[in-house]
Amino acid sequence: MGTLVVDTGRETVAEFRAELAGRWYLRPVNGGVEWNVDPRTVQPASPEQRLRVELARANAQSHRNAYCKRDPK
């Protein structure tokens, strides 16, 4: 998992993935297509924002696990 940051242009929390030619590449926290931004438009995610992402990931994993364990009857 990449470091969680906020793309202030999109007003969204994202994962930092890489830096190339002065641009930062970010990825949606739930997966999807990366995009690049000027690093000056990015700030660290707050503790509250990080917690929301981690809780959403834990809930999604819990739902996936519950679905896989269902009795197929």
Side-chain angles (χ1 to χ4, degrees):
M1 175 178 78
T3 300
L4 293 176
V5 297
V6 177
D7 176 349
T8 59
R10 292 186 180 201
E11 297 182 359
T12 188
V13 178
E15 290 181 14
F16 172 82
R17 304 301 288 177
E19 184 273 331
L20 181 64
R23 304 289 291 179
W24 284 11
Y25 286 78
L26 307 180
R27 178 178 177 266
V29 294
N30 293 322
V33 178
E34 291 182 357
W35 69 95
N36 68 76
V37 296
D38 181 329
R40 294 175 291 186
T41 66
V42 176
Q43 64 187 31
S46 71
E48 181 180 321
Q49 290 166 318
R50 290 192 307 269
L51 180 59
R52 282 185 187 153
V53 168
E54 294 306 320
L55 286 173
R57 285 179 175 160
N59 285 336
Q61 184 63 42
S62 173
H63 290 164
R64 281 191 296 274
N65 289 344
Y67 179 77
C68 291
K69 293 179 183 178
R70 285 188 183 162
D71 188 0
K73 293 181 187 177

